Amino acid sequence: VKSTQLSPAELRAFPLLKPLREEMLLELATSAHALELTANESLFRAGEPATALYGVLSGSLVLYRSSADGREQIVHDTGAGRTIAEAAVFLYGSFPVNARAGARGARLAQVDGPRFLQMLDRDPAAMHSVLATLCRRLHELVDRVEILSLPDAGQRLARFVLRLPAEGRAGTFRVRLPVAKKDLAAQLAMTPETLSRVLKRWREQAWAVVQEDEIELLDVPALEGLAAES
Amino acid sequence: VKSTQLSPAELRAFPLLKPLREEMLLELATSAHALELTANESLFRAGEPATALYGVLSGSLVLYRSSADGREQIVHDTGAGRTIAEAAVFLYGSFPVNARAGARGARLAQVDGPRFLQMLDRDPAAMHSVLATLCRRLHELVDRVEILSLPDAGQRLARFVLRLPAEGRAGTFRVRLPVAKKDLAAQLAMTPETLSRVLKRWREQAWAVVQEDEIELLDVPALEGLAAES
C-alpha cells in the first residue's frame, strides 16, 4: 500500500460525496488518502472494524468471502466511481467480507468513516442532500433493472427511448441519446449489431429515424405498443 | 381519493422505512394515511410543493411529464413496495413530474415529509440506519444491473449462482436458490424454457445439478470461466 493526498475534486467523483459543499469536501480531503494497491493486494479482511469507506479511483476492487476449503467466492467486483463499505461505516460495524485489488491493481480514495458521519450529523442540509442523491440513484437503477429485465432487445430500446426527455410536437418528437451508440448497446445488454438491426427495422417501418445523436420518433403509439408488450 | 389510517406494519413494508424502530413507525403512522385512487386518478401535478412522500401498497403509480402537445410521457411506472418523491421531500422541493394511478388504480401510503425528516434529524442512529439501508440496496441493484447487462443467459445464471452464499466443500458446493425457479428466470431476463435448457446443459457437462431449491456446483472453475467470459 502506497499512500498520497487527495483533492476535493477526486472525492466529488463519487455519487455519495458529490452533494457535499466545497468546504466540506476540503475538510474531508484533509483526512482522506489515495491508496495504491498492486495486483491482488489485500485491503481488509472480514471482521475488521470498518473505520473507513473506500472509493475506487481506477482499477478495481474485489470483495470476497472465504469458503470452508479456502476458495475465494467473489461477492462484488467494483470498478472506478463506486464506493464500498458505506453501510458498515454508517452502522459503526465491521467489514462483512474481505477486499483485495483486482488483477490490474487499484487506486483508492480512503475516507475517514467517523469523520464523514460527524460532518453529516452536524449539517442536516448536507445529510438531506446525501439522502436525496441516494434515493434518486436508486430510482435510476430500478428503472435500469426493469428495462434490462425485458427479454426482447427492441422492447428494451423502445422503453429506454420513450423515457428520455422529448422535444418537438406530435409526429416529430426528438430525443437526444445520452450516450454514444456503442455504449447504448452495452447499456441495453445488446450487441452493436443488434442495435443497428433494431434501428434499421424502425426506419423501414417509419417508427423512428436516427440522426447523429438524436432519434426522431415518427410513430410514438407504435413504439409505446412495443415497449408495453409482455 | 379515499383516505384511511395506516398501521406501522404497512409502513415497514417500504425499504426506506424498514430500518426505523417500532416507536418511530408508530409515531409516523399517526400522521400517515392510506389513499385509494381509482384508475388513472391524479395524485399530484409537477410544480406542487412536495410535502409528502408516497409508498405504493397495491396497484401502481405512473409518473409522467406532459409534452408540448399534451402527450403523456411516462417517466416511471412503479408497483407495490416502492416509494416515490423522497428526493423532493428531502430537499423541501416541489414534485418534478405529475403522478396518477395506473389502470387498476392504486392504494398508497402517504407519509408526512417534514415530519419524517424531523424524526430522522433528531435521531442520528435512525438516520444512519436509513443511509446504510439505501447504500446496501444500491449495491444490490448495481449487481443486478451488471448481471442483466451480460448478453448470454448461461453467463447471467453462472454469475448469479456463484455469488450466492455457498455451503459444503470443494466438489460439493451447494447454493440455495433465493426464489422459485420461474421467478429466477424472470429475474435473470430469460424465459423458463431458456433456464431449463441452461440447467440441462450444465447437468450434461457435469457442471451443476439442481435438486429442489438447491444447486450443487460440481465444477466451480468451469462456471467461473463461463461467468467471466466477455
Side-chain angles (χ1 to χ4, degrees), chain A residues 33-102:
Chain A
H33 297 276
L35 301 183
E36 303 271 357
L37 300 189
T38 56
N40 306 314
E41 188 177 353
S42 175
L43 177 64
F44 56 71
R45 308 284 305 176
E48 293 176 3
T51 54
L53 59 89
Y54 298 90
V56 182
L57 294 162
S58 63
S60 67
L61 259 189
V62 176
L63 304 190
Y64 65 99
R65 285 185 282 257
S66 295
S67 61
D69 66 338
R71 183 171 79 86
E72 179 183 281
Q73 190 193 19
I74 295 176
V75 182
H76 303 284
D77 190 343
T78 64
R82 288 182 57 186
T83 42
I84 61 154
E86 311 92 331
V89 160
F90 291 145
L91 301 174
Y92 295 94
S94 51
F95 295 119
V97 293
N98 310 294
R100 64 164 174 83

Side-chain angles (χ1 to χ4, degrees), chain B residues 75-97:
Chain B
V75 183
H76 304 283
D77 189 344
T78 65
R82 288 181 58 186
T83 42
I84 61 154
E86 311 93 332
V89 160
F90 291 144
L91 301 174
Y92 295 94
S94 51
F95 295 119
V97 294

Side-chain angles (χ1 to χ4, degrees), chain A residues 85-211:
Chain A
E86 311 92 331
V89 160
F90 291 145
L91 301 174
Y92 295 94
S94 51
F95 295 119
V97 293
N98 310 294
R100 64 164 174 83
R104 295 168 298 131
R107 186 162 181 266
L108 306 175
Q110 172 175 321
V111 175
D112 185 311
R115 189 140 176 186
F116 176 51
L117 261 191
Q118 281 159 23
M119 189 180 278
L120 292 180
D121 285 344
R122 62 170 198 257
D123 190 334
M127 180 69 100
H128 299 168
S129 288
V130 168
L131 277 174
T133 301
L134 292 174
C135 288
R136 280 209 198 99
R137 181 128 178 74
L138 273 175
H139 284 298
E140 285 169 22
L141 284 167
V142 168
D143 287 345
R144 282 198 64 187
V145 165
E146 280 179 2
I147 287 178
L148 285 170
S149 299
L150 299 171
D152 178 70
Q155 200 181 9
R156 289 199 294 279
L157 184 64
R159 181 80 67 95
F160 178 82
V161 161
L162 286 171
R163 296 199 169 183
L164 294 172
E167 291 167 16
R169 317 188 152 274
T172 58
F173 279 113
R174 281 191 316 277
V175 297
R176 190 173 294 274
L177 293 176
V179 291
K181 244 167 92 177
K182 85 170 161 34
D183 298 327
L184 181 64
Q187 198 173 322
L188 295 173
M190 59 183 85
T191 60
E193 294 72 35
T194 301
L195 176 59
S196 295
R197 203 161 48 235
V198 171
L199 288 172
K200 179 163 178 279
R201 198 165 58 224
W202 286 9
R203 192 174 60 238
E204 286 166 0
Q205 292 171 313
W207 285 8
V209 185
V210 180
Q211 295 159 327

Side-chain angles (χ1 to χ4, degrees), chain A residues 2-18:
Chain A
K2 211 182 74 187
S3 160
T4 55
Q5 278 310 112
L6 269 173
S7 72
E10 284 174 300
L11 293 179
R12 196 184 290 285
F14 300 104
L16 184 70
L17 307 178
K18 195 187 167 78

Side-chain angles (χ1 to χ4, degrees), chain B residues 15-69:
Chain B
L16 184 69
L17 307 178
K18 195 187 167 76
L20 300 184
R21 293 189 308 278
E22 186 66 16
E23 76 264 24
M24 299 182 81
L25 284 174
L26 268 168
E27 186 187 331
L28 207 59
T30 62
S31 62
H33 297 276
L35 301 183
E36 304 270 357
L37 300 190
T38 57
N40 307 313
E41 188 176 355
S42 175
L43 177 63
F44 56 71
R45 308 284 305 175
E48 292 176 5
T51 55
L53 58 90
Y54 297 90
V56 182
L57 293 163
S58 63
S60 67
L61 260 189
V62 176
L63 305 191
Y64 65 100
R65 286 186 281 256
S66 295
S67 61
D69 65 339

